[in-house]
Amino acid sequence: MLEIEGLIQRYGQSQTLWEVNLSLPEWDCLCLMGRNGVGKTTLLNCIMGLLPASAGSIRFAGEDITRMNAEARARRGMGYVPQGRMIFPLLTVEE
């Protein structure tokens, strides 16, 4: 279902991901763990299209989505719920 091959991501001159490889079959579950600053959020942002990949490929359900924008990925069924609870910090529950 999700396949990542040789994924590299850079912020300017700083490289944050080095040739990440991952294969996650349909209906499998994955826990991504590590200390602060090791690239967990960067990897998820790349998978979701919120950050561009510098090299490598991302495939979802057999389709290459590496250069696809986040909205197109969401239309294909991908979702991301960030850890922070400040999504709508100024809205009340009723709003």
Side-chain angles (χ1 to χ4, degrees), residues 49-79:
L50 301 172
L51 283 175
S54 301
S57 66
I58 304 170
R59 298 184 65 76
F60 181 68
E63 180 179 16
D64 187 347
I65 62 168
T66 310
R67 304 285 174 236
M68 193 177 288
N69 66 33
E71 292 80 10
R73 294 177 198 212
R75 284 192 294 274
R76 282 162 175 75
M78 295 183 78

Side-chain angles (χ1 to χ4, degrees), residues 15-36:
Q15 186 167 341
T16 54
L17 297 178
W18 288 265
E19 298 185 28
V20 174
N21 296 295
L22 172 72
S23 180
L24 187 64
E26 188 173 11
W27 301 111
D28 272 12
C29 194
L30 173 74
C31 177
L32 189 58
M33 295 174 62
R35 63 180 175 76
N36 291 346

Side-chain angles (χ1 to χ4, degrees), residues 41 44-45 48 50 78-83:
T41 300
L44 291 174
N45 284 335
M48 290 307 304
L50 301 172
M78 295 183 78
Y80 176 51
V81 179
Q83 178 180 349

